[in-house]
Amino acid sequence: MTDIVTKLTDFSKRFNADLEKCFPTINGTENRAVEAMKYSVMNGGKRLRSYLLCECAALFGVGYETAFPAAASLEMLHSYSLIHDDLPAMDNDDLRRGKPTCHKQFDEATAILAGDGLLTYAFSYLSEAQIIRPEIRLTLVQMLSDAAGAFGGMVSGQTLDLYAGDIEVTSDSEAEKIISRLEEMKTGRLLRYACEAGAVLGKAPLDMRQIIVGYSRKIGQAFQIADDILDREGDQQIVGKTLHKDDSQNKFTFVSFYGIETARQKARQLVKEAIEQIAVFGDHAENLQNLAHYIIERNH
Ligand code: GRG
């Protein structure tokens, strides 16, 4: 655990220094949106998605410099989703990563614009990354928009999350299916993109790509369960966001459905299965194995 925490910390230092350089200051009042974008994206995220992307790329011989534009654009997009999720019209949160949310630090209109700015810049930055071959760049742009979008991607997941309470659920199995679908779209698709993008960058053969996707699905579910457990049992100072919201908002989650102990066991089982998935890579995938453990053992 200490080892992967050190690796993530070292990665984050390098990655953050490079990410900050992606945001030039522009003249005039319009720089306010850029400041809000930088505030949110440079605000202390764990960088799990970018680390996953770079590690999966490394499995197929792709170095950090080539993977960076894909990882940076993914963090931009992830930050947009957090800014918009925190808005009063959605989750209405004051705290993110232990600091005031974007709309609290700036104002609601600026936060909406910062989210819009990050979403659009993510695609612009990725599509201009000369270090990635044009056909691969195009594939990544398409994959990222699918993962983030309204046709089975993150926007669909967020929509289902907001309105799942209106669904008349008639059986446990129906509720379980809704939770799985919701989590798979809201959280799982970006994590899957992170892993699959690494494989695409490395022109991985289809069977290897499928293995990576299999791993990403398992860690995606485990990540979400860990997030739900942190919402119930975490320390707000460490988690850095308002806790106990799932219960107060009657959210459909694995923890509310299974109870905390069963959810914990399920998360452990998923991590085991995730590690089995990537056994074919042996020691080359050691960081991905350790990351799978970290995902459920983290305290924030
Ligand atoms: C607004 C379209 C739109 C989508 C929002 C991301 C999201 C969808 C909602 C956030 C709510 C939430 C708690 C989702 C569960 C998982 C998640 C994305 C947690 C945050 O990811 P971390 O822990 O965050 O990797 P850091 O801060 O480390 O980057």
Side-chain angles (χ1 to χ4, degrees), residues 44-49 75 78 80-82 84-85 90 96-97 154-155 158 186-187 223-224 227 241 298:
K46 293 183 289 297
R47 308 306 188 206
L48 281 181
R49 291 157 193 77
E75 285 295 337
H78 168 59
Y80 127 76
S81 78
L82 299 179
H84 280 195
D85 183 65
M90 297 218 193
R96 168 71 60 187
R97 297 168 170 170
M154 182 177 65
V155 170
Q158 181 77 344
K186 189 178 84 166
T187 316
F223 176 91
Q224 186 60 57
D227 220 65
K241 62 182 182 184
R298 67 201 163 95

Side-chain angles (χ1 to χ4, degrees), residues 17-34:
D18 292 334
L19 187 61
E20 195 155 25
K21 291 185 206 137
C22 301
F23 293 91
T25 301
I26 58 165
N27 290 325
T29 305
E30 53 271 41
N31 192 51
R32 182 176 173 84
V34 180

Side-chain angles (χ1 to χ4, degrees), residues 122-156:
F123 289 104
S124 154
Y125 190 77
L126 177 58
S127 60
E128 283 175 6
Q130 306 290 330
I131 196 162
I132 306 173
R133 293 166 66 100
E135 69 279 11
I136 293 182
R137 245 185 283 160
L138 184 60
T139 305
L140 292 180
V141 165
Q142 191 189 8
M143 281 167 56
L144 183 57
S145 45
D146 279 352
F151 300 95
M154 182 177 65
V155 170
S156 304

